[in-house]
Amino acid sequence: MNGVTFNWKEDQSNKNNIGFIAQNVEKVLPELVKIDNDGIRSVSYMHMVAVLTEGIKEQQKIISNQQILIDSLKKDIEQIKNKIN
């Protein structure tokens, strides 16, 4: 899924909107896409907030674990440098 800017065909103001393409969201999270009687798809952005929040939390766990590893490797490198000198 990629964020996009777009204009509604029916809106003559040419106001830019920001969002996702519903068909792309539907492939990953079909429960977030609604289809009206005319077959027009729309994304439930309110419900997407929860999905994105959980994604951020997962990323933060990865970042925290990587930082622990980096700190440990820095310590190991410093110990090796001290032994060489």
Side-chain angles (χ1 to χ4, degrees), residues 71-83:
D71 292 343
S72 175
L73 291 171
K74 282 181 176 179
K75 185 178 175 183
D76 291 347
I77 289 169
E78 199 56 42
Q79 287 175 350
I80 292 169
K81 282 181 176 179
N82 289 336
K83 286 181 182 181

Side-chain angles (χ1 to χ4, degrees), residues 25-80:
V25 174
E26 192 173 34
K27 292 175 187 174
V28 181
L29 297 162
E31 59 272 29
L32 297 183
V33 176
K34 293 183 174 44
I35 304 172
D36 71 11
N37 292 334
D38 295 324
I40 304 294
R41 288 170 167 74
S42 62
V43 176
S44 173
Y45 290 102
M46 183 176 72
H47 292 102
M48 186 170 282
V49 171
V51 174
L52 296 175
T53 300
E54 290 304 310
I56 291 168
K57 287 165 51 177
E58 285 295 316
Q59 278 187 326
Q60 192 55 49
K61 285 180 191 176
I62 292 168
I63 291 167
S64 295
N65 288 336
Q66 287 175 337
Q67 189 60 53
I68 291 168
L69 178 59
I70 289 168
D71 292 343
S72 175
L73 291 171
K74 282 181 176 179
K75 185 178 175 183
D76 291 347
I77 289 169
E78 199 56 42
Q79 287 175 350
I80 292 169

Side-chain angles (χ1 to χ4, degrees), residues 10-23:
E10 300 82 22
D11 185 359
Q12 300 300 318
S13 69
N14 288 328
K15 178 182 173 190
N16 284 335
N17 292 276
I18 300 172
F20 296 98
I21 297 173
Q23 289 84 345

